[in-house]
Amino acid sequence: MEKRESADLILMNGIIFTSGDDVPLVQAVAIKDGKILDAGTDLEMSKYLSPETKKIDLKGNFACPGFNDSHIHFLGGGLYAKRLDLYDCMTPEEVAGRVKEKVSRSDRGKWILGKGWDHTRFPGKKWPSKELLDSVSPENPVFLRRVDGHIAWVNSCALKIAGISRETPDPEGGEIVRNEMGEPTGILKESSADLVFNLLPKPSRKEIREAIEHSLAEARRFGITSIQDNSEPEVLEAYRELESEGKLTLRVSEWLELKEDLSEFMTLKERFPRPGGLIRFFTLKGYVDGTLGSRTAAMIKPYSDDPSAKGLLQISPDRLESLVRNANEKGFQVALHAIGDLAVRIALNSFEALGEKGKEARNRAEHVQIIDEDDLPRFRSLGVIASMQPIHCVSDMRWAEERAGKERCRGAYAWKSILGSGANLAFGTDWPVESMNPMLGLHAAVTRMNSRGEPGGGWVPEQKITMEDAIRCYTAGSAYAEFAENEKGTIEKGKCADIVVLSKNLLEIAPPEILQTKVLYNIFNGKIVHDDIR
């Protein structure tokens, strides 16, 4: 008599969305040695039961593959957890109040760091000034990132330390905002912010470790089992250390800076291969432009609310093409930050110049918030991944039509059009710019409304997608974006046993309930790493 293989864990009596096309729904999943042993009905999976098998009755709850955040800043998010949180500040004075309180608890001369302020929420939607920060922090340098991470608001002390004065020229791809007298106002756009940022004290190894552990805890409770992370080279050692201790509770595809000299990165790529262990490195990220909220995203035509502005290109097209070519020839995938329609076009042009080599690299355009209709079919024809963050649509729709105009916004956050073109779409969050919670992104993707249900029917409703497609973008789509579609992203035999069990059936509930959905179990590599059953 043939001996049947026994499972380590069986999930039974559930509504399990596989993210696959052949069998989208199953009732039970058997897991062994961190892999999917089989999936099907309760009866079919019961053949894998043994006295040692752990069995979980899902009691009709919904499950799907673990979420794979295709664009996240894991180290930055963890570090900012211990810095000033300015996301809910509605006035510059409220920001200054928090800075003042922080200064009162800090040593003289210590840097005051924070993130999350948004001038589009301030009265008049105007840039704040250094003078307000000077009034509450005359002796402590202050560096506050805007919500998008592309603009810094600093005080006079920080400007002095960086040597920024009226004589300082704007760096390539950046702008030092000045008043009518030519004096810096304290607002530094894009690369000009680096003039100060590069002088900030570097986090210690201990601080990096603590930041990553904080981020891991957040990921576990949100059902995230894979990340595609844009951080610093130092995080690779932190991840490796955590992996050796059995404390790394997700899979990491790390991204580092797109640059000319890749010798150091070639060594790292060999140490963290694709496919490999829990940590892999083969992607380089570059910046083509800035952001819409700051009017630094590069546009084909001027901004609708500022005819003098078309954004800030961070790199010349010729130099970009050279860097992309060099990276692809050395076996790296390239991810290009491209938000405005001109930036998206330039990114696609740089990939197109590579021919078939570019297609093999599965190069990526990150964010793709405004896309010209003529460029839409190029994603599929060039094999370029559209890596997008649906929650950005909800955050930005307050002012997007002011910036880009109604006609251009027909091609804004165009998930439906991209999927319809046959291109691959991957979803992420851009945390800490937005929340890490995938439920917010799923809700945005299927409703294009905020948490209050506004606007009725959704903003640019023709770009809504189904919940099935939204989940696939967060799982199978993200796996494809990192060359891992044969390892994860769907609940199928032989793939990684990364599964999230939720409190509500995402395929049936009303849209407001999506935002109330909690993670009951986060199962990573066949083991329960988060349990919220009460």
Side-chain angles (χ1 to χ4, degrees):
M1 184 175 178
E2 182 184 354
K3 183 179 179 181
R4 294 190 182 278
E5 197 168 8
S6 62
D8 299 326
L9 172 66
I10 297 181
L11 308 179
M12 306 187 80
N13 188 25
I15 300 168
I16 303 171
F17 182 68
T18 68
S19 277
D21 296 322
D22 296 337
V23 185
L25 288 173
V26 296
Q27 190 178 29
V29 179
I31 296 167
K32 184 177 179 63
D33 296 331
K35 303 289 186 182
I36 305 293
L37 183 59
D38 206 350
T41 66
D42 283 347
L43 181 61
E44 289 169 334
M45 295 306 102
S46 64
K47 67 187 178 185
Y48 298 110
L49 281 169
S50 75
E52 291 75 35
T53 302
K54 178 179 177 63
K55 185 171 70 171
I56 296 179
D57 183 354
L58 297 184
K59 300 178 181 178
N61 280 309
F62 180 85
C64 66
F67 296 112
N68 183 341
D69 194 315
S70 70
H71 186 118
I72 195 168
H73 304 269
F74 221 55
L75 175 60
L79 289 173
Y80 273 104
K82 292 190 175 182
R83 296 172 182 176
L84 282 177
D85 181 349
L86 308 172
Y87 284 84
D88 61 343
C89 290
M90 302 303 289
T91 67
E93 290 73 23
E94 193 173 351
V95 173
R98 295 189 187 183
V99 171
K100 182 178 181 179
E101 195 278 331
K102 183 70 172 178
V103 169
S104 70
R105 295 183 287 107
S106 302
D107 295 335
R108 179 180 176 183
K110 183 177 180 180
W111 282 90
I112 306 299
L113 307 176
K115 185 176 182 180
W117 62 274
D118 183 353
H119 73 293
T120 69
R121 294 185 178 276
F122 295 167
K125 301 181 180 180
K126 295 184 178 181
W127 294 117
S129 69
K130 64 184 178 184
E131 285 77 16
L132 182 57
L133 295 179
D134 292 345
S135 69
V136 296
S137 185
E139 298 179 327
N140 290 73
V142 179
F143 183 88
L144 308 176
R145 285 281 193 192
R146 187 181 179 273
V147 61
D148 57 15
H150 286 246
I151 307 293
W153 176 17
V154 303
N155 66 349
S156 295
C157 187
L159 290 172
K160 184 177 180 180
I161 291 172
I164 299 174
S165 67
R166 63 184 302 159
E167 285 78 32
T168 304
D170 289 340
E172 181 182 5
E175 179 188 353
I176 301 168
V177 177
R178 307 166 196 268
N179 61 22
E180 61 277 4
M181 304 297 293
E183 294 290 339
T185 66
I187 296 298
L188 304 174
K189 296 184 177 181
E190 301 298 338
S191 61
S192 66
D194 292 339
L195 300 176
V196 177
F197 177 77
N198 291 336
L199 301 176
L200 300 183
K202 301 296 183 185
S204 66
R205 181 173 177 177
K206 180 174 181 287
E207 288 172 324
I208 290 173
R209 168 72 182 243
E210 290 174 348
I212 295 299
E213 287 182 326
H214 170 86
S215 300
L216 285 169
E218 288 290 283
R220 285 193 294 271
R221 73 185 184 93
F222 286 134
I224 297 169
T225 57
S226 288
I227 57 170
Q228 296 167 43
D229 173 38
N230 184 198
S231 291
E232 303 296 329
E234 292 79 9
V235 302
L236 285 167
E237 292 308 319
Y239 288 136
R240 175 59 62 83
E241 187 177 87
L242 287 160
E243 181 185 21
S244 69
E245 297 171 11
K247 296 178 180 178
L248 186 60
T249 50
L250 44 67
R251 304 175 200 279
V252 180
S253 283
E254 188 58 38
W255 306 355
L256 297 177
E257 179 189 1
L258 177 65
K259 57 183 182 179
E260 290 180 10
D261 183 1
L262 301 180
S263 54
E264 175 191 0
F265 293 168
M266 293 295 290
T267 302
L268 285 175
K269 186 158 69 75
E270 292 174 2
R271 287 185 60 205
F272 301 97
R274 183 198 86 224
L278 300 186
I279 312 159
R280 60 185 74 189
F281 162 60
F282 57 90
T283 303
L284 302 176
K285 183 187 177 186
Y287 288 84
V288 184
D289 68 343
T291 68
L292 284 173
S294 302
R295 293 193 194 88
T296 55
M299 307 294 280
I300 295 171
K301 296 179 181 178
Y303 280 86
S304 298
D305 58 352
D306 185 355
S308 69
K310 293 177 72 174
L312 289 172
L313 281 176
Q314 298 301 294
I315 188 171
S316 72
D318 287 345
R319 176 166 160 73
L320 179 66
E321 183 181 323
S322 174
L323 290 177
V324 170
R325 182 180 300 279
N326 181 48
N328 279 180
E329 287 177 349
K330 288 181 169 57
F332 289 96
Q333 177 190 53
V334 173
L336 293 179
H337 170 114
I339 285 181
D341 52 7
L342 177 60
V344 172
R345 178 170 293 176
I346 289 172
L348 292 172
N349 289 347
S350 72
F351 297 146
E352 185 173 35
L354 298 165
E356 289 301 315
K357 188 71 174 178
K359 289 183 181 181
E360 295 170 7
R362 291 190 193 177
N363 291 314
R364 310 161 51 129
E366 304 297 316
H367 308 304
V368 196
Q369 290 179 7
I370 303 286
I371 179 172
D372 188 83
E373 187 176 357
D374 290 343
D375 290 318
L376 184 64
R378 300 176 71 196
F379 279 85
R380 180 183 180 182
S381 65
L382 298 176
V384 175
I385 311 294
S387 171
M388 303 177 71
Q389 304 77 45
I391 189 59
H392 282 327
C393 168
V394 172
S395 298
D396 297 354
M397 66 185 182
R398 292 181 294 109
W399 43 257
E401 288 189 11
E402 292 178 21
R403 292 282 190 277
K406 198 173 187 69
E407 183 62 28
R408 274 189 292 197
C409 282
R410 291 173 56 195
Y413 316 89
W415 316 306
K416 181 78 169 181
S417 294
I418 288 173
L419 281 178
S421 74
N424 191 81
L425 177 59
F427 277 169
T429 63
D430 203 15
W431 184 71
V433 174
E434 303 284 0
S435 167
M436 197 192 292
N437 186 357
M439 295 304 132
L440 300 179
L442 293 174
H443 179 267
V446 302
T447 69
R448 297 179 74 94
M449 295 188 293
N450 62 25
S451 60
R452 300 182 299 277
E454 300 166 341
W459 181 61
V460 194
E462 59 268 27
Q463 293 295 345
K464 297 178 189 177
I465 60 176
T466 66
M467 179 56 78
E468 289 88 344
D469 280 341
I471 295 173
R472 287 188 177 103
C473 289
Y474 250 120
T475 55
S478 291
Y480 182 86
E482 57 166 316
F483 290 85
E485 70 274 17
N486 294 323
E487 304 167 45
K488 58 185 177 181
T490 58
I491 297 175
E492 295 179 276
K493 187 181 296 188
K495 291 194 175 181
C496 298
D498 299 344
I499 299 172
V500 59
V501 181
L502 303 173
S503 62
K504 298 177 184 290
N505 184 345
L506 293 178
L507 303 183
E508 294 184 355
I509 58 177
E513 293 185 73
I514 300 169
L515 300 174
Q516 301 161 15
T517 301
K518 305 295 183 186
V519 172
L520 301 181
Y521 293 107
N522 182 340
I523 299 169
F524 168 71
N525 217 25
K527 292 181 171 52
I528 298 170
V529 296
H530 174 81
D531 180 344
D532 196 20
I533 294 292
R534 293 185 177 91

